[in-house]
Amino acid sequence: MKNILERYPFFLVLLPAFVVIHLEKELHQVISYRFVIDRILIFFAVPLLLYTIIYFLNRSVKKSAFAAFILSIPFFYLGDLKNWLSSMLPGSLWQSYSFLLTALFLVSVLSISFVLKSESEFRKQFLLINTGLLLFITTDLALIAYSFNKGKYHLVNEIETENKPCDNCEKPDIYYIVLDTYTSGKILKSNFNYPNDITEDDLKK
């Protein structure tokens, strides 16, 4: 088993598999997969596409696979890094996309250059990455099986907070409401059994 994990780049499939399974753990019974199947396919296609492109440039399976893995990391986790830096260092240069994309480009170029020039077979790296991803996937699957219908996030039918108007406050002339990625009441009702009538009635008023 160890020899197999050292030789083959399973991580090109294990990485997107881990991302999908981890999202399922976090959003158990909230995700409706028929709406996101195209994104899941993109998750699996990106590392393989990067591998194919790099392979045609250097004709080395291991180097191409390792380089593709390095380039796949920011594809999956740049957004999380951006959100974390924004919460830790709000308004700073370090959390801006101009800095992050520039730093990402330089790190990627240096990393890929090192990989392609290296004479190593990357057996230890393959073993570490393959084993780590398998452990992460196994852990998440166990947590999903253990939690059954529990998830980090859930939809509720009850009104958890009650709006209390402020009679003494100065009210603005314009309310600017942005329903970013907020789906329709019909979809919420048919797919999630979530009544959105109160929100829609409030907006109409």
Side-chain angles (χ1 to χ4, degrees), residues 29-36 155 157 183-195:
Q29 292 195 337
V30 174
I31 300 176
S32 185
Y33 283 95
R34 57 181 172 151
F35 295 119
V36 297
L155 294 171
N157 291 334
T183 190
S184 68
K186 182 179 179 181
I187 295 296
L188 286 172
K189 182 65 178 176
S190 63
N191 290 280
F192 303 104
N193 195 30
Y194 181 85

Side-chain angles (χ1 to χ4, degrees), residues 4 6 14 60 76 80 153 175:
I4 294 176
E6 287 179 336
L14 292 175
S60 171
F76 289 111
D80 291 331
Y153 305 98
Y175 292 90

Side-chain angles (χ1 to χ4, degrees), residues 14-203:
L14 292 175
L15 177 60
F18 167 68
V19 171
V20 173
I21 292 171
H22 190 71
L23 287 173
E24 169 60 27
K25 180 180 75 72
E26 297 288 300
L27 303 170
H28 190 46
Q29 292 195 337
V30 174
I31 300 176
S32 185
Y33 283 95
R34 57 181 172 151
F35 295 119
V36 297
I37 188 65
D38 55 336
R39 291 165 179 80
I40 292 176
L41 293 175
I42 291 173
F43 281 0
F44 282 91
V46 166
L48 297 176
L49 179 61
L50 289 171
Y51 165 76
T52 302
I53 293 173
I54 300 172
Y55 177 77
F56 278 116
L57 296 176
N58 73 94
R59 301 292 179 174
S60 171
V61 172
K62 288 194 172 184
K63 290 182 179 180
S64 301
F66 196 29
F69 175 79
I70 293 173
L71 292 178
S72 297
I73 295 296
F75 171 78
F76 289 111
Y77 293 108
L78 178 61
D80 291 331
L81 176 61
K82 161 69 174 173
N83 292 336
W84 181 76
L85 288 173
S86 295
S87 64
M88 298 297 293
L89 305 168
S92 69
L93 170 67
W94 312 109
Q95 58 84 43
S96 66
Y97 274 116
S98 58
F99 170 78
L100 286 175
L101 291 176
T102 302
L104 173 63
F105 176 77
L106 292 175
V107 171
S108 298
V109 169
L110 292 175
S111 300
I112 301 307
S113 176
F114 171 78
V115 170
L116 297 182
K117 291 179 180 179
S118 175
E119 298 298 326
S120 172
E121 293 187 356
F122 302 108
R123 295 178 68 91
K124 292 182 179 180
Q125 290 84 349
F126 275 40
L127 177 62
L128 177 63
I129 297 170
N130 283 329
T131 304
L133 287 172
L134 284 173
L135 290 174
F136 290 150
I137 290 173
T138 302
T139 301
D140 276 353
L141 288 174
L143 290 172
I144 292 171
Y146 173 76
S147 63
F148 294 101
N149 62 348
K150 296 178 183 178
K152 185 176 181 179
Y153 305 98
H154 63 281
L155 294 171
V156 295
N157 291 334
E158 300 83 9
I159 302 301
E160 295 185 337
T161 58
E162 184 177 341
N163 292 325
K164 296 180 180 180
C166 178
D167 296 330
N168 300 324
C169 299
E170 182 179 353
K171 298 181 180 180
D173 296 327
I174 297 173
Y175 292 90
Y176 186 57
I177 302 173
V178 181
L179 300 178
D180 184 28
T181 69
Y182 195 91
T183 190
S184 68
K186 182 179 179 181
I187 295 296
L188 286 172
K189 182 65 178 176
S190 63
N191 290 280
F192 303 104
N193 195 30
Y194 181 85
N196 199 45
D197 301 338
I198 296 177
T199 300
E200 293 178 353
D201 290 342
D202 285 344
L203 290 173

